């Protein structure tokens, strides 16, 4: 792996691509479409802070990644800890400079809430049961609030923020299930380590079904048109229900990584349903 490629992998390009899509999708909720200067500032802020957070996460997860993800740039030796620290400092600094161009309230969210939370999450709370999951879910939901503030109407960001919070919370718990072996070896006190794999699957199933139940609420309260419901139930409700059932049926091996990827993709199906509910 070349040094440049190692830096690209460090930032987790798939996650960064999803960040770009999130910023653009949020902009698409607005009529008229926001000024491109605002969209670009929001995009640079979200992508750079995300990249910085990923680098900090790798610094604190180096020992665990030697077991769970040995091909990551840091445990594989492609990048040194000094390289990763410099990458994190540069991306955080550039991201917060970009946030200055979005307005004072969005800047406060980026510099005084999001950036510190990303660092504290990796340093102290990631290995604590549920606390770290809640923090990262809050940060992801905050992206929609941040972008909506930048674009001029925070109300349009509330529903996707709530959906993103629950999607991310569930996905983070599933990732903990996937990483249970390495977490146990390193003494991390994640939810599956503390209460066991079976109980964690049951909690995850409950959260999935709860999310399915709340999906129709935006139409019930007249936030969106029925077009939202026509898309969200088959594209989001059915997959989430299937995952909940899958996690409840005993089997020898659960494909947690596969479920995590489905959730990451399916969140954008939910955003597409919101777009339809606003515009049609």
């Amino acid at each position: 792996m070349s040094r440049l490629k190692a830096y690209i992998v460090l930032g987790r390009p798939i996650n960064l691509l999803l960040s770009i899509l999130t910023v653009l999708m949020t902009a698409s909720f607005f009529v008229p479409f926001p000024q491109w200067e605002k969209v670009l500032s929001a995009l640079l802020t979200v992508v750079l802070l995300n990249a910085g957070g990923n680098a900090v996460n790798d610094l604190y997860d180096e020992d665990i990644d030697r077991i769970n993800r040995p091909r990551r740039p840091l445990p594989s030796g492609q990048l040194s800890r000094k390289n990763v620290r410099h990458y994190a400092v540069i991306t955080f600094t550039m991201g917060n400079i970009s946030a200055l161009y979005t307005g004072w309230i969005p800047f406060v969210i980026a510099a005084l809430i999001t950036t510190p939370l990303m660092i504290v999450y990796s340093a102290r709370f990631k290995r604590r049961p549920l606390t770290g999951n809640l923090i990262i879910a809050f940060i992801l939901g905050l992206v929609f609030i941040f972008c909506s503030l930048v674009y001029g109407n925070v109300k349009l960001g509330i529903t996707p923020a709530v959906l993103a919070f629950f999607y991310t919370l569930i996905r983070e718990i599933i990732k903990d299930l996937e990483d249970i072996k390495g977490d146990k070896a390193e003494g991390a006190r994640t939810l599956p380590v503390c209460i066991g794999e079976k109980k964690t699957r049951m909690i995850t199933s409950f959260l999935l079904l709860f999310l399915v139940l709340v999906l129709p609420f935006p139409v019930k309260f007249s936030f969106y048109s029925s077009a939202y419901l026509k898309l969200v139930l088959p594209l989001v409700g059915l997959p989430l229900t299937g995952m909940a059932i899958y996690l409840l049926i005993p089997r020898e091996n659960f494909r947690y990584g596969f479920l995590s990827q489905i959730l990451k993709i399916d969140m954008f199906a939910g955003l597409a349903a919101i777009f339809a509910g606003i515009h049609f």
Side-chain angles (χ1 to χ4, degrees), residues 34-188:
Q35 296 177 346
W36 275 106
E37 291 84 353
K38 292 184 177 181
V39 176
L40 182 60
S41 295
L43 192 151
L44 286 174
T45 301
V46 171
V47 169
L48 288 168
L49 293 188
N50 192 352
N54 291 334
V56 171
N57 184 74
D58 276 22
L59 282 171
Y60 284 98
D61 274 5
E62 183 179 5
D63 291 336
I64 291 176
D65 283 346
R66 291 188 193 280
I67 299 171
N68 292 332
R69 298 176 180 88
R71 295 184 180 179
R72 291 290 299 164
L74 189 55
S76 67
Q78 295 298 318
L79 295 176
S80 67
R81 291 185 64 82
K82 183 179 180 180
N83 295 147
V84 177
R85 280 195 298 269
H86 286 171
Y87 179 95
V89 170
I90 291 170
T91 51
F92 275 141
T93 301
M94 291 176 62
N96 283 302
I97 290 173
S98 177
L100 277 171
Y101 293 91
T102 64
W104 282 108
I105 296 178
F107 173 74
V108 168
I109 291 175
L112 301 183
I113 299 176
T114 304
T115 301
L117 271 180
M118 284 181 165
I119 297 170
V120 171
Y121 160 76
S122 294
R124 297 194 60 183
F125 293 108
K126 184 177 181 179
R127 296 169 184 82
R128 296 188 182 183
L130 205 55
T131 308
N133 305 130
L134 289 167
I135 289 175
I136 203 69
F138 174 77
I139 291 172
L140 265 292
L142 201 57
V143 171
F144 291 96
I145 301 299
F146 170 83
C147 290
S148 297
L149 277 168
V150 173
Y151 301 151
N153 186 354
V154 70
K155 291 181 180 179
L156 288 180
I158 293 175
T159 297
V162 171
L163 293 179
F165 173 85
F166 280 106
Y167 258 105
T168 307
L169 176 60
I170 293 166
R171 185 169 174 267
E172 288 298 307
I173 295 174
I174 288 176
K175 285 166 64 180
D176 284 344
L177 283 165
E178 183 183 8
D179 293 344
I180 189 170
K181 182 179 178 181
D183 290 339
K184 280 183 177 179
E186 291 299 319

